[in-house]
């Protein structure tokens, strides 16, 4: 499927067919695109919990109780669910981890190039830590980039998705011990194939017209 066709047919699934599973090879492609998602200064401030077993999905569904119960079936009936988590800090040790990986991947021609990257990344991290005082929020923004990348990748492979901010992040954090790891959950993405009675599958896509959302200069 070409990318424009995928964008036109993609929609938010409201009900899943629990008998249909995303093939392993397809899922591996989606996860690899997720891993390769862009982020500001290559900060990659994320971690992803992937659940495909009934037991794993039930653990994620602990975040869909009480006022969030309307999302429970979208978690338990889907083929796979991914919990998108953000780092709450990007300290010197984490920046060194990124730098070391970049060096192993051959991104630096010499020590000067490596030092330049380290200085540039530290500049933006410190800008958000001290001037903007919004470091955690800035790191979370990068995770949303990964969400959009993943949803479009899934659509090109014919896989339906449902992004859900309507979950109890505290409950999920506690279930997976995320805060002790310097992480916090932001949202859940379900993946699979919609059920025949999914009302949203039959509705036309609605977007503002091109002239309302673009300015060409």
């Amino acid at each position: 499927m070409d990318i424009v066709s995928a964008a036109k047919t993609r929609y938010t699934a409201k009900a899943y067919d629990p008998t249909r599973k995303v093939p392993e090879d397809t899922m591996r492609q989606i996860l690899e695109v997720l891993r390769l998602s862009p982020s500001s200064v290559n900060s990659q401030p994320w971690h992803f919990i992937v659940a495909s077993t009934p037991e794993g999905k039930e653990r994620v569904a602990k975040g869909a109780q009480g006022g969030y119960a309307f999302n429970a079936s979208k978690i338990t009936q889907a083929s796979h669910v991914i919990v998108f988590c953000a780092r709450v800090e990007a300290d010197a040790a984490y920046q060194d981890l990124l730098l070391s990986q970049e060096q192993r991947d051959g991104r630096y021609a010499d020590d000067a190039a490596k030092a330049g990257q380290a200085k540039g990344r530290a500049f933006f991290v410190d800008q958000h830590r001290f001037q903007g005082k919004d470091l955690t929020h800035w790191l979370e923004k990068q995770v949303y980039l990964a969400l959009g990348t993943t949803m479009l990748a899934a659509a090109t492979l014919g896989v339906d998705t449902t992004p859900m901010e309507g979950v109890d992040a505290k409950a999920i954090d506690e279930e997976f011990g995320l805060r002790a790891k310097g992480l916090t959950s932001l949202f859940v993405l379900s993946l699979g194939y919609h059920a025949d009675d999914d009302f949203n599958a039959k509705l036309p896509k609605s977007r503002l017209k091109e002239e309302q959302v673009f300015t060409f200069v």
Side-chain angles (χ1 to χ4, degrees):
M1 185 184 300
D2 70 84
I3 195 168
V4 174
S5 295
K8 287 181 176 179
T9 58
R10 189 217 63 80
Y11 79 103
T12 297
K14 299 298 184 180
Y16 283 90
D17 181 348
T19 68
R20 298 188 65 192
K21 301 300 179 183
V22 178
E24 183 64 22
D25 177 66
T26 300
M27 199 65 208
R28 290 309 311 174
Q29 292 182 66
I30 294 171
L31 294 178
E32 183 63 0
V33 171
L34 172 57
R35 188 180 71 86
L36 296 171
S37 295
S39 58
S40 180
V41 294
N42 200 29
S43 52
Q44 306 173 67
W46 46 51
H47 186 81
F48 310 107
I49 299 171
V50 183
S52 59
T53 64
E55 296 79 12
K57 288 182 285 186
E58 285 293 345
R59 293 184 67 185
V60 176
K62 290 184 179 180
Q65 300 178 8
Y68 302 106
F70 61 92
N71 273 330
S73 64
K74 302 184 190 75
I75 295 172
T76 59
Q77 300 298 300
S79 172
H80 292 67
V81 293
I82 304 174
V83 180
F84 284 65
C85 309
R87 295 183 61 86
V88 298
E89 178 55 271
D91 57 17
Y94 181 66
Q95 293 180 54
D96 286 344
L97 176 69
L98 294 170
L99 202 66
S100 296
Q101 185 62 55
E102 290 165 343
Q103 184 171 36
R104 286 192 294 272
D105 290 335
R107 289 188 59 81
Y108 305 125
D110 50 39
D111 288 343
K114 180 180 178 181
Q117 171 68 5
K119 182 178 180 180
R121 183 154 46 221
F123 170 82
F124 282 103
V125 170
D126 286 345
Q127 183 180 66
H128 286 281
R129 178 183 288 119
F130 299 115
Q131 280 78 36
K133 302 186 187 302
D134 65 340
L135 179 60
T136 300
H137 184 54
W138 179 67
L139 296 175
E140 290 177 354
K141 287 180 179 179
Q142 313 314 313
V143 185
Y144 279 85
L145 294 178
L147 173 64
T149 299
T150 306
M151 291 172 65
L152 185 56
T156 63
L157 295 170
V159 176
D160 296 316
T161 56
T162 309
M164 290 173 280
E165 287 183 310
V167 292
D168 186 339
K170 181 179 179 182
I172 294 176
D173 287 1
E174 291 175 351
E175 174 63 24
F176 292 99
L178 295 179
R179 296 187 183 184
K181 302 172 184 176
L183 300 166
T184 185
S185 58
L186 297 180
F187 45 83
V188 173
L189 180 69
S190 292
L191 303 98
Y193 302 101
H194 68 269
D196 291 339
D197 61 353
D198 182 358
F199 74 91
N200 210 27
K202 301 176 179 63
L203 297 178
K205 184 179 287 288
S206 176
R207 293 294 188 273
L208 294 173
K209 298 298 183 181
E210 178 180 303
E211 58 269 21
Q212 293 176 285
V213 297
F214 292 109
T215 296
F216 298 98
V217 297

